Amino acid sequence: MAIHKKNNLFYKYIISYITILLLPIIFMGIIIYSYFIGIFKEEILTNNMNNLYKTKDIVDTQLLELNNISDQLHLDSSLSSYNFDAEPYRALSIIKELNKFKLTNSFFRDVVLYYRGENLLYSSTSSHTVDIFTNNIYSYENWDKETFYHDINSITLPTIRPTERVKLYSDYNIKQFDNIITFIYPLSYDGFHANKT
């Protein structure tokens, strides 16, 4: 019986010592865990904010570049309005000029110029009728030919179309889909009456 009482007493002391030792360790562990979780969350938020600021700076730079290109297109005398039927060879110089803008900025897939009221669009690679452009070059899922034609003829302020799926046709008539953001800039001499897009 005495041995049994000594064992019970021993176990009571062991349990009390373990409890006295474990409580501070558990308490300190909770505090340290909370502290490190807080630091970890703060680091993630800081890193994400830095990435957002970098992305914002990149997009702002590209939009400024796009605005500069629209100004250059507007001021370039070799791109002034003309009649394709009267001077078909001049289309090559327009395509060549547009290709320079595309080559200097990898942000853009293509640069397209449209003289309002005409039926031709000039890209950095070729000239196309509106039908061919919307059906065989850039086939937008949510921008039909009639709306496209209306927009490029009537838009008065720079406009950005949201990302949308576009069916692209490359060499050998291979079709691929891509998500594209389309920037539309009206070009005018007086700031009010656009003659190009």
Side-chain angles (χ1 to χ4, degrees):
M1 201 60 142
I3 294 175
H4 186 57
K5 282 186 177 181
K6 284 183 181 181
N7 279 342
N8 283 340
L9 187 61
F10 175 74
Y11 288 128
K12 284 181 185 178
Y13 280 120
I14 285 290
I15 290 172
S16 67
Y17 284 133
I18 290 174
T19 304
I20 291 171
L21 287 174
L22 282 181
L23 282 177
I25 290 173
I26 291 172
F27 184 69
M28 290 297 290
I30 290 171
I31 291 173
I32 291 171
Y33 177 78
S34 299
Y35 176 75
F36 281 118
I37 289 295
I39 289 175
F40 187 63
K41 284 181 181 178
E42 189 175 310
E43 285 296 319
I44 289 174
L45 287 174
T46 302
N47 190 32
N48 285 341
M49 288 305 291
N50 287 339
N51 287 337
L52 284 174
Y53 284 127
K54 286 178 188 174
T55 303
K56 175 193 162 296
D57 289 342
I58 290 169
V59 170
D60 285 348
T61 301
Q62 295 303 332
L63 288 174
L64 183 62
E65 178 70 21
L66 183 61
N67 193 39
N68 290 339
I69 287 175
S70 71
D71 290 342
Q72 291 173 7
L73 287 171
H74 169 65
L75 297 173
D76 191 340
S77 61
S78 67
L79 299 176
S80 60
S81 295
Y82 83 103
N83 185 330
F84 179 81
D85 294 331
E87 301 176 77
Y89 182 72
R90 190 164 159 211
L92 294 175
S93 66
I94 292 172
I95 293 167
K96 189 176 180 181
E97 283 297 313
L98 295 176
N99 193 35
K100 289 178 189 176
F101 292 112
K102 180 187 167 200
L103 291 176
T104 57
N105 195 324
S106 62
F107 180 71
F108 307 118
R109 175 180 287 280
D110 204 352
V111 178
V112 179
L113 181 64
Y114 173 70
Y115 296 97
R116 291 193 174 189
E118 300 289 326
N119 191 35
L120 288 175
L121 292 153
Y122 300 91
S123 72
S124 58
T125 56
S126 185
S127 60
H128 316 278
T129 64
V130 174
D131 286 338
I132 290 174
F133 186 83
T134 56
N135 293 328
N136 299 340
I137 307 299
Y138 291 97
S139 183
Y140 289 83
E141 283 188 352
N142 300 317
W143 202 13
D144 61 42
K145 181 187 82 166
E146 290 77 20
T147 310
F148 175 85
Y149 188 74
H150 175 267
D151 290 348
I152 62 175
N153 272 296
S154 63
I155 202 157
T156 57
L157 296 172
T159 305
I160 300 174
R161 287 186 60 85
T163 302
E164 55 193 319
R165 281 180 52 85
V166 178
K167 189 188 307 181
L168 306 171
Y169 295 85
S170 60
D171 296 335
Y172 312 109
N173 209 23
I174 297 171
K175 301 173 191 174
Q176 64 183 26
F177 286 91
D178 203 356
N179 291 322
I180 293 180
I181 299 173
T182 305
F183 299 89
I184 310 165
Y185 275 79
L187 305 176
S188 65
Y189 288 105
D190 59 6
F192 299 105
H193 305 95
N195 61 348
K196 294 180 275 198
T197 305

